[in-house]
Amino acid sequence: MTEKKELILETALKLFAERGFDTTPTSMIAKEAGVSEGLIFRHFTNKEGLMDAILAMSEERMARHVKSIVALAEPLAKIHATIELPVKLFSEEREFWKLQFSLKWQKKYRGQSYRPSGYYLELVEVITDAFRQLGYAEPEKEVLLLVMLIDGLSNQLMQQPSEAFIEQTLSFLKSKYQLDKLKS
Amino acid sequence: MTEKKELILETALKLFAERGFDTTPTSMIAKEAGVSEGLIFRHFTNKEGLMDAILAMSEERMARHVKSIVALAEPLAKIHATIELPVKLFSEEREFWKLQFSLKWQKKYRGQSYRPSGYYLELVEVITDAFRQLGYAEPEKEVLLLVMLIDGLSNQLMQQPSEAFIEQTLSFLKSKYQLDKLKS
DNA sequence: GTCTATACGGGGATAGAC
DNA sequence: GTCTATCCCCGTATAGAC
């Protein structure tokens, strides 16, 4: 992966996340990256190839996050980490996460990288089990609820990314799940 | 409002919701509506004017829904109605709701019809009060949680719109809030 | 109010030099 | 690997007849 190719990828990721895929001309990506427009097509064939490269990159990053949650021993710790995942992603990989969320609403990419891929299903299974171990009556439904919460939290992060707000909300959420008892 | 103008509006709403604003050419709208392309511009000036008309229409519909929630007497009834709102909207006005959600992720329309407009703020206020009346310790935070839940639920409805799933989730959610009430 | 025909610009993509 | 120049289509928008 040459330096300029990498640069194109990063720039495209940022612009797609900020402005959307089809309202971002390749000319703009080239200009922003300080690169000729033709180079984009030399490296990625076409605009969609560029998006696919970004998606592949993202998939890999997500899988890594999930793996680290699954690896935790305590069921409570798993739930704790899952709640914190959106915040973690937003602080570390804001642009990517934004892009993922926007893609859900674009028909073209619905079901591609978003659709329950391996890591997502694995996470659901693991969290269901965690709830079961903690003695929740309906673990499957609890997971559904948690997924909703996480989706909603991510939306909030998009609109209101103030540090104070995030911290407040997070601790409130954790208290709901009695996660404050957890030793960090 | 002439019949064809109305038809254009409905068709555009449907197509924008399905395929997104900027991946839907005006030619397609015209064809689908069985109307000449020129007519669209005669009625709505430009493509954006068409979107604005849709948004105005939507705003009105939403305001009506909120009004009916606010009008409820019991605080618990208000909360339940709020939880049920996404489902109600999805069954009655699916296309519109879908479009609203997708718009949040398009820079152009972020902060336009989505941004906390009158009815949203009113609803938040009313629900905060409802939580307070029910004796919740931190009503403001409870509202935040509920908003998250509703966002998340809406996302779920997009991905998994099976009747059984919706009914299950909904009753689970409601039971959660009833239990909380009894606890306090 | 509605249609047909057409102008115009911009965005994706290619060719070929270096 | 990278750049410059260029092509061409398609989507928005306008003009003008009916």
Side-chain angles (χ1 to χ4, degrees), chain A residues 98-145:
Chain A
K98 243 165 101 175
L99 183 57
Q100 288 299 104
F101 260 76
S102 73
L103 287 180
K104 274 205 290 198
W105 304 98
Q106 293 184 225
K107 197 180 188 184
K108 201 175 189 176
Y109 284 100
R110 230 177 269 162
Q112 187 152 327
S113 137
Y114 174 74
R115 197 44 164 278
S117 28
Y119 58 77
Y120 175 77
L121 293 175
E122 190 187 356
L123 185 60
V124 164
E125 206 175 309
V126 164
I127 296 298
T128 308
D129 224 59
F131 276 123
R132 186 174 295 117
Q133 284 177 251
L134 288 173
Y136 278 73
E138 306 183 277
E140 287 84 4
K141 291 184 182 177
E142 292 289 348
V143 171
L144 252 33
L145 187 74

Coordinates of all heavy atoms in Angstrom, one line a residue, chain A residues 98-145:
Chain A
K98 N -19.3 7.0 12.0 CA -20.3 7.9 11.3 C -20.7 7.3 10.0 O -21.9 7.2 9.6 CB -19.7 9.2 11.2 CG -20.4 10.3 11.9 CD -19.5 11.6 12.0 CE -19.9 12.6 11.0 NZ -19.1 13.9 11.2
L99 N -19.7 6.9 9.2 CA -20.0 6.4 7.9 C -20.8 5.2 8.0 O -21.8 5.0 7.2 CB -18.6 6.1 7.2 CG -18.7 5.6 5.8 CD1 -19.5 6.6 4.9 CD2 -17.3 5.4 5.2
Q100 N -20.5 4.2 8.9 CA -21.3 3.0 9.0 C -22.7 3.3 9.3 O -23.6 2.7 8.7 CB -20.7 2.2 10.2 CG -19.4 1.6 10.0 CD -19.4 0.6 8.9 OE1 -18.9 0.9 7.8 NE2 -20.0 -0.6 9.1
F101 N -23.0 4.3 10.2 CA -24.3 4.6 10.5 C -25.1 5.2 9.3 O -26.3 4.9 9.1 CB -24.4 5.5 11.7 CG -24.7 4.8 12.9 CD1 -23.7 4.1 13.5 CD2 -26.0 4.8 13.5 CE1 -24.0 3.4 14.7 CE2 -26.2 4.1 14.7 CZ -25.2 3.4 15.3
S102 N -24.4 6.0 8.6 CA -25.1 6.6 7.4 C -25.4 5.6 6.3 O -26.4 5.7 5.6 CB -24.3 7.8 6.9 OG -23.1 7.2 6.2
L103 N -24.5 4.6 6.3 CA -24.7 3.6 5.2 C -26.0 2.7 5.4 O -26.6 2.3 4.5 CB -23.5 2.6 5.2 CG -22.3 3.2 4.6 CD1 -21.1 2.2 4.6 CD2 -22.5 3.7 3.2
K104 N -26.4 2.6 6.7 CA -27.6 1.8 7.0 C -28.8 2.3 6.2 O -29.7 1.6 5.9 CB -27.9 1.9 8.5 CG -27.2 0.8 9.3 CD -27.9 0.6 10.6 CE -27.9 1.7 11.5 NZ -28.2 1.3 12.9
W105 N -28.7 3.6 5.9 CA -29.9 4.3 5.3 C -29.7 4.4 3.8 O -30.6 5.1 3.2 CB -30.2 5.6 6.0 CG -30.3 5.4 7.5 CD1 -29.4 5.5 8.4 CD2 -31.5 4.9 8.2 NE1 -29.9 5.2 9.7 CE2 -31.2 4.8 9.5 CE3 -32.8 4.5 7.7 CZ2 -32.1 4.3 10.4 CZ3 -33.7 4.1 8.6 CH2 -33.4 4.0 10.0
Q106 N -28.7 3.9 3.3 CA -28.5 3.9 1.8 C -28.7 2.6 1.3 O -28.0 1.6 1.6 CB -27.1 4.5 1.5 CG -26.9 5.9 1.9 CD -25.6 6.4 1.4 OE1 -24.9 7.1 2.1 NE2 -25.3 6.1 0.1
K107 N -29.7 2.4 0.5 CA -30.1 1.1 0.0 C -29.0 0.3 -0.6 O -28.8 -0.8 -0.3 CB -31.2 1.3 -1.2 CG -31.9 0.0 -1.4 CD -32.9 0.3 -2.6 CE -33.8 -1.0 -2.7 NZ -34.7 -0.8 -3.8
K108 N -28.2 1.0 -1.3 CA -27.0 0.4 -2.0 C -26.2 -0.5 -1.1 O -25.7 -1.5 -1.4 CB -26.2 1.5 -2.6 CG -25.3 1.0 -3.7 CD -24.6 2.2 -4.3 CE -23.8 1.9 -5.6 NZ -23.3 3.1 -6.2
Y109 N -26.0 0.1 0.1 CA -25.0 -0.6 1.0 C -25.7 -1.3 2.2 O -25.1 -1.9 3.0 CB -24.0 0.4 1.5 CG -23.0 0.7 0.5 CD1 -23.0 1.8 -0.3 CD2 -22.0 -0.3 0.2 CE1 -22.1 2.1 -1.3 CE2 -21.1 0.0 -0.8 CZ -21.1 1.1 -1.5 OH -20.2 1.4 -2.5
R110 N -27.0 -1.2 2.2 CA -27.8 -1.9 3.2 C -27.5 -3.4 3.0 O -27.6 -3.9 1.9 CB -29.3 -1.7 3.1 CG -29.9 -1.3 4.4 CD -31.4 -1.0 4.2 NE -31.6 0.5 3.9 CZ -32.7 0.9 3.3 NH1 -33.6 0.1 3.0 NH2 -32.8 2.2 3.1
G111 N -27.1 -4.1 4.1 CA -26.9 -5.5 3.9 C -25.5 -5.9 3.4 O -25.2 -7.1 3.3
Q112 N -24.7 -4.9 3.2 CA -23.3 -5.3 2.8 C -22.4 -5.4 4.0 O -22.4 -6.5 4.6 CB -22.8 -4.2 1.8 CG -21.5 -4.6 1.2 CD -21.3 -4.0 -0.1 OE1 -22.2 -3.8 -0.9 NE2 -20.0 -3.7 -0.5
S113 N -21.8 -4.3 4.4 CA -21.0 -4.4 5.6 C -21.8 -4.4 6.8 O -21.4 -4.8 7.9 CB -19.9 -3.3 5.6 OG -19.8 -2.8 6.8
Y114 N -23.0 -3.7 6.7 CA -23.8 -3.6 7.9 C -24.5 -4.9 8.3 O -24.5 -5.2 9.5 CB -24.9 -2.5 7.7 CG -25.8 -2.4 8.9 CD1 -25.3 -1.9 10.1 CD2 -27.0 -3.0 8.9 CE1 -26.1 -1.9 11.2 CE2 -27.8 -3.0 10.0 CZ -27.3 -2.5 11.2 OH -28.1 -2.5 12.3
R115 N -25.0 -5.6 7.4 CA -25.9 -6.7 7.7 C -25.2 -7.7 8.6 O -24.0 -8.0 8.4 CB -26.3 -7.4 6.4 CG -27.4 -8.4 6.5 CD -28.5 -7.8 7.3 NE -29.8 -8.5 7.2 CZ -30.6 -8.3 6.1 NH1 -30.3 -7.4 5.2 NH2 -31.8 -9.0 6.1
P116 N -25.9 -8.1 9.7 CA -25.3 -9.0 10.6 C -24.2 -9.9 10.1 O -24.5 -11.0 9.6 CB -26.6 -9.8 11.0 CG -27.7 -8.9 10.9 CD -27.3 -7.8 10.0
S117 N -23.0 -9.5 10.2 CA -21.9 -10.3 9.7 C -21.4 -11.0 11.0 O -21.8 -10.8 12.1 CB -20.9 -9.5 9.1 OG -20.8 -8.2 9.6
G118 N -20.5 -11.9 10.7 CA -20.0 -12.8 11.8 C -19.9 -12.2 13.1 O -20.4 -12.7 14.1
Y119 N -19.1 -11.1 13.3 CA -18.8 -10.6 14.6 C -20.1 -10.1 15.3 O -20.1 -10.2 16.5 CB -17.8 -9.5 14.5 CG -18.1 -8.3 13.6 CD1 -19.0 -7.4 14.1 CD2 -17.6 -8.2 12.4 CE1 -19.3 -6.3 13.3 CE2 -17.9 -7.1 11.6 CZ -18.8 -6.1 12.1 OH -19.1 -5.1 11.3
Y120 N -21.0 -9.6 14.6 CA -22.2 -9.1 15.2 C -23.0 -10.3 15.9 O -23.4 -10.2 17.0 CB -23.1 -8.4 14.2 CG -24.4 -7.9 14.8 CD1 -24.5 -6.8 15.6 CD2 -25.6 -8.7 14.5 CE1 -25.7 -6.4 16.2 CE2 -26.8 -8.3 15.0 CZ -26.9 -7.2 15.9 OH -28.1 -6.8 16.4
L121 N -23.2 -11.3 15.1 CA -23.9 -12.5 15.6 C -23.2 -13.1 16.8 O -23.8 -13.5 17.8 CB -24.1 -13.5 14.5 CG -24.9 -13.1 13.3 CD1 -24.9 -14.1 12.2 CD2 -26.4 -12.8 13.8
E122 N -21.9 -13.1 16.7 CA -21.1 -13.7 17.8 C -21.3 -12.8 19.1 O -21.6 -13.4 20.2 CB -19.6 -13.7 17.5 CG -18.8 -14.5 18.5 CD -17.3 -14.4 18.2 OE1 -16.9 -13.8 17.2 OE2 -16.5 -14.9 19.0
L123 N -21.3 -11.6 18.9 CA -21.5 -10.7 20.1 C -22.9 -10.9 20.7 O -23.0 -11.0 21.9 CB -21.3 -9.2 19.6 CG -21.4 -8.2 20.8 CD1 -20.3 -8.4 21.8 CD2 -21.3 -6.7 20.2
V124 N -23.9 -10.9 19.9 CA -25.2 -11.2 20.4 C -25.3 -12.4 21.2 O -25.9 -12.5 22.3 CB -26.3 -11.2 19.2 CG1 -27.6 -11.8 19.7 CG2 -26.5 -9.8 18.6
E125 N -24.7 -13.5 20.7 CA -24.7 -14.7 21.4 C -24.1 -14.7 22.7 O -24.6 -15.1 23.7 CB -24.0 -15.8 20.5 CG -24.5 -17.2 20.7 CD -23.8 -18.1 19.7 OE1 -23.9 -17.8 18.5 OE2 -23.2 -19.1 20.1
V126 N -22.9 -14.0 22.7 CA -22.1 -13.9 23.9 C -22.9 -13.1 25.0 O -22.9 -13.4 26.2 CB -20.7 -13.3 23.6 CG1 -20.1 -12.8 24.9 CG2 -19.9 -14.3 22.9
I127 N -23.5 -12.0 24.5 CA -24.2 -11.2 25.5 C -25.4 -11.8 26.0 O -25.8 -11.7 27.2 CB -24.5 -9.8 24.8 CG1 -23.2 -9.0 24.5 CG2 -25.4 -9.0 25.8 CD1 -22.4 -8.7 25.7
T128 N -26.1 -12.6 25.2 CA -27.3 -13.3 25.6 C -26.9 -14.2 26.8 O -27.5 -14.3 27.8 CB -27.9 -14.2 24.5 OG1 -28.1 -13.4 23.3 CG2 -29.2 -14.8 24.9
D129 N -25.8 -14.9 26.6 CA -25.3 -15.8 27.6 C -24.9 -15.1 28.9 O -25.2 -15.6 30.0 CB -24.0 -16.5 27.0 CG -24.0 -18.0 27.3 OD1 -25.0 -18.7 26.9 OD2 -23.1 -18.4 28.1
A130 N -24.3 -13.9 28.7 CA -24.0 -13.1 29.9 C -25.2 -12.8 30.7 O -25.2 -12.9 31.9 CB -23.3 -11.8 29.4
F131 N -26.3 -12.4 30.0 CA -27.5 -12.1 30.7 C -28.0 -13.3 31.4 O -28.5 -13.2 32.6 CB -28.6 -11.5 29.8 CG -28.4 -10.0 29.5 CD1 -28.3 -9.6 28.2 CD2 -28.5 -9.1 30.6 CE1 -28.2 -8.2 28.0 CE2 -28.4 -7.8 30.3 CZ -28.2 -7.3 29.0
R132 N -27.9 -14.4 30.8 CA -28.4 -15.7 31.3 C -27.7 -16.0 32.6 O -28.3 -16.3 33.7 CB -28.3 -16.8 30.3 CG -29.0 -18.1 30.8 CD -29.0 -19.2 29.7 NE -29.8 -18.8 28.6 CZ -29.4 -18.7 27.4 NH1 -28.1 -18.8 27.1 NH2 -30.2 -18.3 26.4
Q133 N -26.4 -15.9 32.5 CA -25.5 -16.2 33.7 C -25.8 -15.2 34.9 O -25.7 -15.6 36.0 CB -24.0 -16.0 33.3 CG -23.5 -17.2 32.5 CD -22.1 -17.0 32.1 OE1 -21.8 -16.7 30.9 NE2 -21.2 -17.0 33.0
L134 N -26.2 -14.0 34.5 CA -26.5 -13.1 35.6 C -27.9 -13.3 36.2 O -28.4 -12.5 37.1 CB -26.4 -11.6 35.1 CG -25.0 -11.2 34.8 CD1 -24.9 -9.8 34.1 CD2 -24.2 -11.1 36.1
G135 N -28.7 -14.2 35.6 CA -30.0 -14.6 36.1 C -31.1 -13.8 35.6 O -32.2 -13.7 36.2
Y136 N -31.0 -13.0 34.5 CA -32.1 -12.3 33.9 C -33.1 -13.3 33.4 O -32.8 -14.4 32.9 CB -31.6 -11.4 32.8 CG -31.0 -10.1 33.2 CD1 -29.7 -10.1 33.8 CD2 -31.7 -8.9 33.0 CE1 -29.2 -8.8 34.2 CE2 -31.2 -7.7 33.4 CZ -29.9 -7.7 34.0 OH -29.4 -6.5 34.4
A137 N -34.4 -12.9 33.6 CA -35.5 -13.9 33.2 C -35.5 -14.1 31.7 O -35.7 -15.3 31.3 CB -36.8 -13.3 33.7
E138 N -35.4 -13.1 30.9 CA -35.5 -13.2 29.5 C -34.3 -12.7 28.7 O -34.4 -11.6 28.1 CB -36.8 -12.5 29.0 CG -38.0 -13.0 29.7 CD -39.3 -12.3 29.2 OE1 -39.6 -11.2 29.6 OE2 -40.0 -12.9 28.4
P139 N -33.2 -13.4 28.7 CA -32.0 -13.0 28.2 C -32.0 -12.5 26.7 O -31.4 -11.5 26.3 CB -31.0 -14.1 28.3 CG -31.8 -15.3 28.8 CD -33.1 -14.8 29.3
E140 N -32.8 -13.3 25.9 CA -32.9 -12.9 24.5 C -33.5 -11.5 24.3 O -33.1 -10.7 23.5 CB -33.8 -13.9 23.7 CG -33.1 -15.3 23.5 CD -33.3 -16.2 24.7 OE1 -33.9 -15.8 25.6 OE2 -32.7 -17.3 24.7
K141 N -34.5 -11.2 25.1 CA -35.2 -9.9 25.0 C -34.3 -8.8 25.6 O -34.3 -7.7 25.1 CB -36.5 -9.9 25.7 CG -37.5 -10.8 25.0 CD -38.9 -10.7 25.7 CE -39.9 -11.6 25.0 NZ -41.2 -11.6 25.7
E142 N -33.5 -9.2 26.6 CA -32.6 -8.2 27.2 C -31.6 -7.7 26.2 O -31.2 -6.6 26.1 CB -31.9 -8.8 28.4 CG -32.8 -9.0 29.6 CD -33.3 -7.7 30.3 OE1 -32.8 -6.6 30.0 OE2 -34.2 -7.8 31.1
V143 N -31.1 -8.7 25.3 CA -30.1 -8.4 24.3 C -30.7 -7.4 23.3 O -30.1 -6.4 22.9 CB -29.6 -9.6 23.6 CG1 -28.8 -9.2 22.4 CG2 -28.9 -10.5 24.5
L144 N -32.0 -7.7 22.9 CA -32.7 -6.8 22.0 C -32.7 -5.4 22.5 O -32.4 -4.4 21.8 CB -34.1 -7.3 21.8 CG -34.5 -7.9 20.4 CD1 -33.3 -8.7 19.9 CD2 -35.6 -8.9 20.6
L145 N -33.1 -5.3 23.8 CA -33.1 -4.0 24.5 C -31.8 -3.3 24.5 O -31.7 -2.1 24.2 CB -33.6 -4.2 25.9 CG -33.9 -3.0 26.7 CD1 -35.2 -2.3 26.3 CD2 -34.0 -3.3 28.2

